[in-house]
Amino acid sequence: MEIPYTVKPRPDTGLINSKIGIWLFLASEVMLFGALFSSYIILRIGSESWPEGSSYLSVPIGTFNTLVLISSSITMVMAWASLKLKNFKKFQIYMGLTILLGLVFLGVKSFEYYGKFSHHHYPKESVFFAIYFTMTGLHALHVICGMVVNAYFWGPGSKMWQTNPEQFTNRVETSGLFWHFVDLVWIFLFPVLYLL
Amino acid sequence: MSEIEHSEEHIKKHVRVYISVFVALMALTVVTVAASYLQLNTFGTIALALFIASIKASLVICYFMHLISEKKLVLIVLLFTTIFFLGLIFLSLLAYFDPVVYKNVA
Amino acid sequence: MSDHNHEKLGFWRKYIFSTDHKVIGLQYGITGSFFLFFGFCLMMLMRWQLAYPGQPLPFVGNLLGESNMPMGYMLPEFYNALGAMHGTIMVFLAIVPLIFGAFGNYIVPLQIGAPDMAFPKLNAISYWCYLLGGVVMVASFWAPGGAANSGWTSYAPLSVTATIGQTYWLFGMVLLITSSLLGSVNFITTVVQLRAEGMTWFRLPFFVWAQLVTAFLLLLAFPPLEAAGVLQLMDRLAGTSFFMPSGLVVGGEALGISGGGSPLLWQHLFWFLAHPEVYVLILPALGIVTEIIANNTRKPLYGYKIMIYSILFLGFLSFIVWAHHMYLTGMGTTVSTFFQTTTLIISIPSVVIITTLFITLWGGSIRFNTPMLFALGFLPMFGIGGLTGLPLAFNATDIPLHDTYYVIGHFHYVVAPGTIFALFAGVYYWFPKITGRHMSEVLGKTHFWASILFMNGIFMPMFIQGMAGVSRRLYDGGATYELAQGVLHWNEFMSISAWLLALAQIPFLINLFWSPFKGKKANDNPWEATTLEWSTPTPPPHGNFLEAPKVYRGPYEYSVPGSSKDYSPQSQKEI
């Protein structure tokens, strides 16, 4: 017996397996980052003094990175839409752009890290830096994971387009959902760490 | 999703939505940075920044992640996740800041 | 997706790196049983120190190394490591993998009529993550300074300043949590998507419901502990102060850290997982017991829908009761009252489920076979465990009982004679399906009566000691404490019971290894049960069902009036 509903949705739930799987995974991710944001709030309210993020972190760089990540979200969704329109060439361009923008984001992030380290700001300096490095570090780890998956679908994984285009489109949608979630986390991280 | 729903015409309409959402997200990013330079009190700054972030997040989740047309089951899972997440934040906060009142019993 | 030319698979692909849910279930079962035994051994060592504090342990003591038991005398650090690792191993490496990983994997796809789990490769990855996490945990015993020794709760700041074993513990936990998360995504997707035709939500066996709720608890409660684990790793490795308050002095010296963190934060994040975790341990056990009781009373389950609503309510509520573990941390009365109220409310659905099981017994023609004995033994044992929890739920009565042996007794009644009895019941019940042969009834009944006797011998005196005020963390079992003198003699009694309990498992082990080869042959449905796993060949082939099953009725249609037999399988069309 084949495992059913990998390509065609189950009639009563209206979903394919991977769709519900990724949403469940994202639900657990919400709890993971939710716990970190809760920790941030509790530590901040409990602290005697808390530095304004902009006094240590560069708002222009942070803003630039936010714009980069948002752009990578639109290219991701356009990559999926191109597959829906059966335009594989366009998919490759948009997916390539998504990966490239992810690289830009990571490059800028490591430049920021380097700047902090060279000014002797380490996680142990204060709770602010501890939470800054932990949360952005964990986020960067998610960016890397998303990029690895996207790169696979851009490169070797895209062979599936010849054999099973429908399933390939679904796979790109699934990895897209993860990528948008990573963007979503940053949308909160940016004001919380840089602006408040 | 059904075949009719994802006809070529339909997808093209989607793409136009994506582009307007993208423009809105860009604009809101600029707004949130600009707002941080306003001389509001602490509460106002935090509330405004989180409010704008929430709008941006809803745009991403509703349109890029298609939650607006997603099946009921997914919505139920996310609803409960949200409830438990809020429980985690607010109950632990409450536990921190509910003062213990020491009464002199003796 | 899955391999169909399974006949051609070699040994490695078929038995070691398999993606078949049944093989993975057995892998979980074997690995989990090993850890169950290992955790039990740790406890038996501790019981020596508690019964005969300061006396050298003959033979075994000399084998455990100079750094742990020089000349057979147990060092306090080693005692602490044993306690911490006993808790961690039993909860995270033994019971959850056995009841969720092993039984869930093997039984759930069969009961819902699915060919496999929804994501077979992910299923294999969860198992290997779990095994790796387990290896890291056990390896920590050889770390300098020994294994983690800050209690299974790893409260900060003690755990942050502890020896390197704690770092192993944290890495192990991160792996175990990842494994559980992947597993729970897989379980939920499987139950939602792969139910056979006609298997509506209210035709699912209660065991499947229990596993589904459990999977949701794991999915949403574990990530905060993963976050907390990452924060504690940062505290230990990068010198941050997430859980470290300002001005902390250890051993007369101020620590060179920034401070400004909160030790209580760890407790919140830890208990946000660890309370739902208790329900992760008990809900699948209730599921197993329900299957066996319905089958052996030969009558429909009383209040099937009530049980389902209860378990859903229980699952929901278990997320907002966690701070009842923290009444003594200086919470104010408002919050204490809130958590006291939710805790008392959560006892209602548990009582409802137990009561419906008791009512199901009423008027049934009960078959007292070994699985049924264990299932029946479960009911009063879980009852004692549950009812002794009530004084701990009220914050006024919790204050004197907190951290005493009373808590240990309460918790172990729920998990040891509770969940472990359900595990045994499940093994005896599904053994014929897995191997095609019955286990010996004589050995099984010997195993049951000896186990229930010694289980109570271990845990009942804990209530007495606890109410006398004996703390759970004493290295000498209270020998040097004035308040413990009156109840000290129970220590030896409990220890001997524990060692005898180990001997009581010998009939089970003989049964387990002898029966697959020499046991009485069983047909495809030896218990004349109704659920779908009994309508496949024995043992189930790769892909489970010869043709896609169809479901025509509810899960517990026993003794249906007008039927020729006293059971109507779910896949049977006419009565």
Side-chain angles (χ1 to χ4, degrees), chain B residues 9 12 14 17 29 33 41 45 58 68 78 85 88 101-102:
Chain B
E9 209 35 52
K12 281 183 177 152
H14 268 244
V17 175
T29 306
V33 174
N41 58 7
T45 318
S58 332
I68 206 155
L78 292 179
F85 164 56
L88 173 63
V101 182
Y102 293 100

Side-chain angles (χ1 to χ4, degrees), chain C residues 202-226:
Chain C
F202 282 111
R203 281 181 183 169
L204 285 176
F206 184 70
F207 178 73
V208 176
W209 274 105
Q211 293 282 357
L212 183 68
V213 175
T214 304
F216 267 106
L217 298 186
L218 286 173
L219 183 78
L220 299 178
F222 247 139
L225 185 65
E226 186 145 34

Side-chain angles (χ1 to χ4, degrees), chain C residues 164-431:
Chain C
I164 186 100
Q166 181 67 20
T167 307
Y168 283 73
W169 189 90
L170 289 164
F171 273 117
M173 282 309 287
V174 169
L175 284 167
L176 292 176
I177 294 170
T178 310
S179 152
S180 293
L181 288 179
L182 298 179
S184 54
V185 166
N186 212 343
F187 268 74
I188 299 170
T189 311
T190 306
V191 175
V192 170
Q193 291 286 89
L194 302 193
R195 281 168 291 127
E197 194 185 332
M199 182 63 95
T200 56
W201 288 104
F202 282 111
R203 281 181 183 169
L204 285 176
F206 184 70
F207 178 73
V208 176
W209 274 105
Q211 293 282 357
L212 183 68
V213 175
T214 304
F216 267 106
L217 298 186
L218 286 173
L219 183 78
L220 299 178
F222 247 139
L225 185 65
E226 186 145 34
V230 169
L231 297 184
Q232 198 179 92
L233 269 176
M234 289 294 285
D235 272 7
R236 289 182 59 88
L237 300 178
T240 57
S241 299
F242 287 113
F243 303 125
M244 305 297 269
S246 304
L248 193 67
V249 175
V250 175
E253 273 180 58
L255 292 178
I257 51 163
S258 71
S262 162
L264 268 186
L265 178 61
W266 169 267
Q267 296 196 20
H268 278 292
L269 294 176
F270 180 83
W271 287 115
F272 187 83
L273 157 84
H275 197 79
E277 180 77 12
V278 176
Y279 292 98
V280 168
L281 302 174
I282 201 67
L283 295 184
L286 284 169
I288 293 176
V289 166
T290 305
E291 294 300 305
I292 291 167
I293 286 184
N295 175 251
N296 286 307
T297 51
R298 315 305 296 166
K299 58 188 281 244
L301 204 59
Y302 178 89
Y304 165 73
K305 280 196 178 177
I306 299 175
M307 291 182 76
I308 289 169
Y309 291 131
S310 298
I311 204 167
L312 289 173
F313 184 58
L314 212 153
F316 176 81
L317 218 55
S318 70
F319 280 96
I320 48 171
V321 296
W322 80 87
H324 65 219
H325 294 271
M326 300 165 61
Y327 285 145
L328 264 75
T329 58
M331 287 190 300
T333 46
T334 318
V335 173
S336 293
T337 312
F338 173 85
F339 281 107
Q340 172 177 303
T341 313
T342 52
T343 307
L344 289 171
I345 293 173
I346 207 173
S347 65
I348 296 171
S350 329
V351 170
V352 168
I353 291 174
I354 288 295
T355 311
T356 52
L357 288 176
F358 271 114
I359 300 175
T360 302
L361 297 176
W362 180 264
S365 52
I366 301 173
R367 302 190 301 207
F368 287 99
N369 46 34
T370 311
M372 187 60 171
L373 282 181
F374 273 101
L376 289 175
F378 170 92
L379 295 178
M381 295 298 109
F382 176 68
I384 294 175
L387 291 175
T388 51
L390 288 179
L392 299 170
F394 290 104
N395 54 49
T397 42
D398 177 61
I399 288 171
L401 292 174
H402 190 93
D403 246 359
T404 64
Y405 266 101
Y406 183 91
V407 179
I408 306 291
H410 152 68
F411 178 69
H412 281 85
Y413 259 101
V414 174
V415 176
T419 303
I420 292 180
F421 270 24
L423 282 173
F424 282 134
V427 170
Y428 285 104
Y429 183 66
W430 279 300
F431 192 85

Side-chain angles (χ1 to χ4, degrees), chain C residues 423-506:
Chain C
L423 282 173
F424 282 134
V427 170
Y428 285 104
Y429 183 66
W430 279 300
F431 192 85
K433 177 49 64 181
I434 298 169
T435 62
R437 287 175 190 268
H438 281 283
M439 290 177 93
S440 154
E441 281 288 306
V442 177
L443 287 172
K445 284 176 178 161
T446 318
H447 174 220
F448 168 73
W449 288 111
S451 293
I452 199 166
L453 181 70
F454 298 127
M455 282 276 190
N456 283 288
I458 304 170
F459 299 118
M460 195 60 90
M462 288 189 179
F463 292 126
I464 302 169
Q465 285 199 333
M467 283 188 279
V470 182
S471 162
R472 63 192 279 192
R473 310 232 182 247
L474 301 177
Y475 164 58
D476 60 0
T480 53
Y481 288 74
E482 184 65 38
L483 62 88
Q485 296 308 315
V487 290
L488 209 56
H489 57 279
W490 285 112
N491 273 335
E492 195 177 2
F493 179 86
M494 288 190 278
S495 295
I496 290 170
S497 297
W499 300 325
L500 288 175
L501 180 65
L503 294 183
Q505 305 314 307
I506 290 174

Side-chain angles (χ1 to χ4, degrees), chain A residues 1-6 10 12-13 15-18 20-22 24-25 27-29 31-32 35-36 38-39 42-43 47-48 123-127 130-131 133-134 138 167 171, chain C residues 1 4 115-120 181 185 188-189 192-195 216 219-220 223-224 226-227 230-231 234 238-242 258-262 265 269 272 543 545 548-549:
Chain A
M1 276 167 72
E2 265 311 320
I3 291 169
Y5 314 121
T6 47
R10 184 185 164 104
D12 59 348
T13 59
L15 292 162
I16 54 167
N17 297 345
S18 59
I20 187 144
I22 190 73
L24 288 167
F25 180 71
S28 86
E29 291 276 45
M31 293 306 284
L32 176 72
L36 289 172
S38 309
S39 310
I42 285 170
L43 290 172
S47 71
E48 282 153 21
K124 65 180 173 191
E125 180 179 327
S126 66
V127 179
I131 207 123
F133 279 109
T134 309
L138 206 62
Q167 187 165 14
R171 286 186 168 191
Chain C
M1 292 294 285
H4 285 276
D116 203 317
M117 297 290 269
F119 309 113
L181 288 179
V185 166
I188 299 170
T189 311
V192 170
Q193 291 286 89
L194 302 193
R195 281 168 291 127
F216 267 106
L219 183 78
L220 299 178
E226 186 145 34
V230 169
L231 297 184
M234 289 294 285
T240 57
S241 299
F242 287 113
S258 71
S262 162
L265 178 61
L269 294 176
F272 187 83
F545 295 90

Side-chain angles (χ1 to χ4, degrees), chain A residues 116-132:
Chain A
K116 296 291 159 297
F117 292 146
S118 59
H119 287 90
H120 302 289
H121 293 308
Y122 293 107
K124 65 180 173 191
E125 180 179 327
S126 66
V127 179
F128 170 76
F129 275 107
I131 207 123
Y132 166 77

